[in-house]
């Protein structure tokens, strides 16, 4: 094995903060530490920096700056959007429509609301992980107040028909929220053209800092506050602004948007090289997610007879950081809700490997993975009783 090389292929989990972003943030911890709510010079400078970041974020979404509210991340933005709409509109109805493959920040928030008397429809998806807009329409009742469908899935990378669902929601007068944490900075988003009312995003998924995100709230949307306290964020999200991180997320979004088109093309080539190489070299492997309607950096493949967790350990030993769809929650070996929703049987749902590429990944790294993975899979299969059974059945 070669030295101590490190190949990071888990960009859907988090990304490194870009050096230019760190550099832009640093002065806001020290020289420019003012509280944006105060009145003197260093405070006004801090306020100006927050305003500038807000403008950058608005530009990236084709939104207005006053429609951007900074939060502590994607999870808070999802919680705010869903609970805020539910509580502010409960006189109108108590029904929410979402999908079975949402991030837990959406699913667990909806489950909490069910305990509070709301009704939630969890729409199924097709074998590629796509939500059918016709199914959304069919699920709407006169009590529906919110539709929340993610822009792109974090496990299998499938991109949802957001503009179609947005058009439908607008026509019916129902609020439409999308968790765009995986999509922003990687695929074009226009909240106006796509008729999105609320959109969640997070800094650390596009080479910005952790602990900072934003909720886009279209002007005129009726939503309750989530954080109560001071008058920050135009009296809608209390708490002293995370100044340095806000500066950082502004630089990060500007940076990733500027290179998005080119970088997407580059990543699609690498992604498809990964897919073709794996499916060519390794038998009994299956692509998860949509063949083309997927995030540029996402590849997810299931391997029969073995467990994704074991593959990860061997990959880690070879210096490769990747992920699995069956990330077991606190030791329990429950397969991922996404893998089950696309109809994978339990065995395959456990055998999935997610490789998510980002800006520092190269063709050489992809080829390095393609060099080591077949041996790992073969080794694990020789230890697998399921594979032994299969071989025996073939010989009969
Ligand atoms: C990462 C992620 C989140 C959570 O964002 P945080 O900033 O880590 O709280 C929510 N939704 C999706 C789709 C994600 O990938």
């Amino acid at each position: 094995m070669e030295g101590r090389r490190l190949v990071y292929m888990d960009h859907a989990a988090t990304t490194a903060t870009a050096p230019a972003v760190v550099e832009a943030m640093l002065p806001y911890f020290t020289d420019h530490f003012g509280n944006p709510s105060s009145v003197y010079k260093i405070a006004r400078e801090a306020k100006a920096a927050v305003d500038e970041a807000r403008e950058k974020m608005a530009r990236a979404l084709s939104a207005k700056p006053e429609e951007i509210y900074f939060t502590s991340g994607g999870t808070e933005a999802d919680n705010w959007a869903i609970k805020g709409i539910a509580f502010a509109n409960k006189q109108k109805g108590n029904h929410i429509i979402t999908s079975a493959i949402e991030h837990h920040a959406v699913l667990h928030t909806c489950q909490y609301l069910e305990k509070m008397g709301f009704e939630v429809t969890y729409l199924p998806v097709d074998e590629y992980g796509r939500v059918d807009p016709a199914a959304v329409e069919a699920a709407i009742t006169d009590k529906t107040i919110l539709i929340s469908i993610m822009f792109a899935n974090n496990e299998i990378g499938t991109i949802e028909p957001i503009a179609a669902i947005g058009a439908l929601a607008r026509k019916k007068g129902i609020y439409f929220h999308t968790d765009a944490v995986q999509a922003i900075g990687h695929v074009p988003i226009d909240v106006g053209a796509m008729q999105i009312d609320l959109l969640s995003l997070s800094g650390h998924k596009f080479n910005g800092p952790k602990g900072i995100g934003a909720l886009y709230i279209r002007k005129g949307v009726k939503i309750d506050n989530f954080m109560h306290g001071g008058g920050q964020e135009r009296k809608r999200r209390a708490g002293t602004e995370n100044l340095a991180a806000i500066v950082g997320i502004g630089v990060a979004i500007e940076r990733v948007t500027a290179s998005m088109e080119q970088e997407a093309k580059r990543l699609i080539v690498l992604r498809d090289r990964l897919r073709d190489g794996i499916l060519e070299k390794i038998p009994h492997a299956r692509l998860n997610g949509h063949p083309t309607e997927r995030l540029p950096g996402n590849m997810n493949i299931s391997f029969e007879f073995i467990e994704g967790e074991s593959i990860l350990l061997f990959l880690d030993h070879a210096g490769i950081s990747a992920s699995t769809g069956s990330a077991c929650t606190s030791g329990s070996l429950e397969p991922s809700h996404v893998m089950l929703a696309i109809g994978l049987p339990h065995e395959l749902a456990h055998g999935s490997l997610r490789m998510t590429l980002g800006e520092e990944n190269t063709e050489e790294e992809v080829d390095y993975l393609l060099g080591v993975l077949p041996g790992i899979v073969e080794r694990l299969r020789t230890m697998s009783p399921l594979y032994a059974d299969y071989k025996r059945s073939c010989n009969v």
Side-chain angles (χ1 to χ4, degrees):
M1 198 189 313
E2 303 160 52
R4 287 194 54 80
R5 72 185 296 161
L6 275 180
V7 176
Y8 185 76
M9 292 196 182
D10 201 15
H11 292 79
T14 194
T15 60
T17 311
V21 173
V22 175
E23 203 178 308
M25 290 171 69
L26 286 176
Y28 290 90
F29 289 106
T30 52
D31 295 348
H32 304 296
F33 65 90
N35 187 324
S37 300
S38 301
V39 293
Y40 35 78
K41 185 159 177 285
I42 59 162
R44 289 196 306 273
E45 283 166 359
K47 169 92 170 45
V50 171
D51 289 345
E52 192 183 326
R54 200 186 309 284
E55 277 161 29
K56 287 176 178 168
M57 188 56 76
R59 215 171 296 137
L61 295 171
S62 303
K64 301 186 193 84
E66 63 270 25
E67 296 173 316
I68 305 293
Y69 297 87
F70 290 114
T71 66
S72 65
T75 300
E76 185 190 324
D78 284 340
N79 271 265
W80 183 9
I82 296 167
K83 291 179 201 166
I85 291 293
F87 293 143
N89 297 277
K90 60 175 187 284
Q91 287 81 5
K92 191 178 165 230
N94 69 341
H95 181 228
I96 296 167
I97 298 172
T98 186
S99 84
I101 63 163
E102 299 295 313
H103 190 273
H104 284 135
V106 168
L107 286 180
H108 290 168
T109 302
C110 286
Q111 286 161 12
Y112 165 76
L113 286 175
E114 283 183 282
K115 285 194 256 170
M116 308 283 292
F118 288 87
E119 278 173 28
V120 182
T121 301
Y122 301 91
L123 291 174
V125 293
D126 68 13
E127 60 181 310
Y128 302 117
R130 299 260 289 182
V131 173
D132 180 0
V136 177
E137 182 156 25
I140 294 172
T141 72
D142 54 3
K143 294 263 181 279
T144 309
I145 50 174
L146 176 67
I147 298 169
S148 178
I149 302 289
M150 69 200 318
F151 206 109
N153 183 266
N154 44 302
E155 289 187 30
I156 54 176
T158 302
I159 299 171
E160 301 298 339
I162 291 303
I165 299 168
L168 181 70
R170 190 64 55 86
K171 191 179 77 187
K172 303 270 185 181
I174 298 165
Y175 288 137
F176 176 42
H177 164 250
T178 187
D179 174 340
V181 172
Q182 289 291 332
I184 186 160
H186 306 293
V187 294
I189 300 180
D190 181 323
V191 289
M194 296 173 167
Q195 304 187 68
I196 295 165
D197 297 306
L198 305 116
L199 178 145
S200 305
L201 62 92
S202 174
H204 73 100
K205 304 287 174 80
F206 54 89
N207 299 100
K210 294 175 181 59
I212 187 74
L215 181 63
Y216 156 80
I217 306 175
R218 186 176 58 78
K219 202 159 179 265
V221 165
K222 196 176 161 203
I223 183 168
D224 271 9
N225 285 356
F226 183 62
M227 296 289 266
H228 302 275
Q232 292 89 356
E233 296 294 280
R234 296 160 325 284
K235 297 195 170 62
R236 281 189 136 168
R237 196 280 185 184
T240 299
E241 296 85 346
N242 189 350
L243 177 61
I246 289 173
V247 169
I249 202 174
V251 175
I253 193 65
E254 189 174 47
R255 186 180 167 276
V256 77
T257 308
S259 62
M260 181 166 63
E261 208 181 313
Q262 246 179 304
E263 181 62 4
K265 282 191 193 134
R266 191 186 75 89
L267 287 179
I268 286 170
V269 172
L270 292 186
R271 178 195 78 188
D272 292 349
R273 185 180 182 90
L274 210 45
R275 177 197 59 201
D276 295 345
I278 291 174
L279 296 181
E280 199 174 284
K281 287 166 193 254
I282 305 178
H284 310 293
R286 175 199 192 275
L287 171 74
N288 296 319
H290 200 279
T292 53
E293 287 298 301
R294 69 189 301 140
L295 291 170
N298 176 292
M299 187 42 55
N300 189 312
I301 293 182
S302 280
F303 300 93
E304 280 184 65
F305 316 116
I306 56 176
E307 299 215 328
E309 300 289 322
S310 324
I311 307 175
L312 290 191
L313 295 179
F314 279 90
L315 281 178
D316 185 30
H317 194 67
I320 300 171
S321 313
S323 173
T324 161
S326 62
C328 37
T329 329
S330 60
S332 81
L333 263 180
E334 271 302 293
S336 132
H337 62 290
V338 178
M339 294 300 158
L340 295 179
I342 60 174
L344 286 197
H346 274 252
E347 312 88 75
L348 271 178
H350 276 300
S352 75
L353 176 67
R354 179 185 77 177
M355 297 146 285
T356 46
L357 305 170
E359 59 184 35
E360 79 282 358
N361 288 130
T362 61
E363 188 178 289
E364 195 219 335
E365 291 180 333
V366 166
D367 290 346
Y368 173 62
L369 181 137
L370 291 175
V372 298
L373 187 61
I376 292 173
V377 171
E378 202 179 297
R379 239 165 104 188
L380 288 168
R381 279 180 178 164
T382 58
M383 300 189 278
S384 157
L386 292 172
Y387 191 53
D389 286 350
Y390 167 78
K391 292 277 265 205
R392 217 170 297 123
S393 73
C394 289
N395 289 339
V396 186

